Amino acid sequence: VWLILLVATIGNVMGACINWWLGRFALRYRHHRRFPFSPAQIARAQSHYARWGWLSLFASWVPVIGDPITLIAGVMREPLWRFVLVVTIAKGGRYVVVAFLAGVVSPHLFSGIFV
């Protein structure tokens, strides 16, 4: 179970890192006619990220909003080390909670970790 959780977390974090990287370079193309976001959408996303900062990355596990948060983190030049740390905690934590709720991970497996 732990190997599955580890592999799923690593894969999900790697995907988030790709979003972060795309965000780092996305604004170079904002004047292109096929750029997918309007200036108003970019400004709104930057405003939300500026308000919550890196703490918003704890919501990166949430479906639909998680990927845009990781993209905007790249646009906002979030340091990669902090990005990877927080996103790993968020996405890995989600998998542990889901496995626990599914009954795959029992409480006694955690005893060696937290004691």
Side-chain angles (χ1 to χ4, degrees), residues 30-114:
R30 68 180 171 262
H31 300 296
H32 191 275
R33 64 184 177 93
R34 290 191 179 183
F35 191 73
F37 306 107
S38 70
Q41 289 173 312
I42 294 169
R44 192 172 339 123
Q46 287 175 323
S47 172
H48 287 297
Y49 194 86
R51 179 175 180 202
W52 295 101
W54 64 269
L55 291 173
S56 66
L57 291 171
F58 282 110
S60 64
W61 67 270
V62 179
V64 179
I65 67 166
D67 287 338
I69 289 171
T70 59
L71 185 77
I72 287 298
V75 169
M76 297 296 287
R77 305 282 189 202
E78 184 64 45
L80 183 60
W81 70 268
R82 183 168 45 206
F83 175 86
V84 170
L85 178 67
V86 175
V87 169
T88 300
I89 291 168
K91 291 179 180 281
R94 171 195 47 194
Y95 287 128
V96 170
V97 169
V98 168
F100 181 77
L101 293 175
V104 175
V105 177
S106 62
H108 72 276
L109 289 177
F110 288 104
S111 63
I113 296 173
F114 297 115

Side-chain angles (χ1 to χ4, degrees), residues 2-17 84 87-88 91-92 94-95:
W2 292 110
L3 180 60
I4 292 169
L5 296 176
L6 178 67
V7 170
T9 300
I10 290 171
N12 212 318
V13 171
M14 287 173 61
C17 287
V84 170
V87 169
T88 300
K91 291 179 180 281
R94 171 195 47 194
Y95 287 128

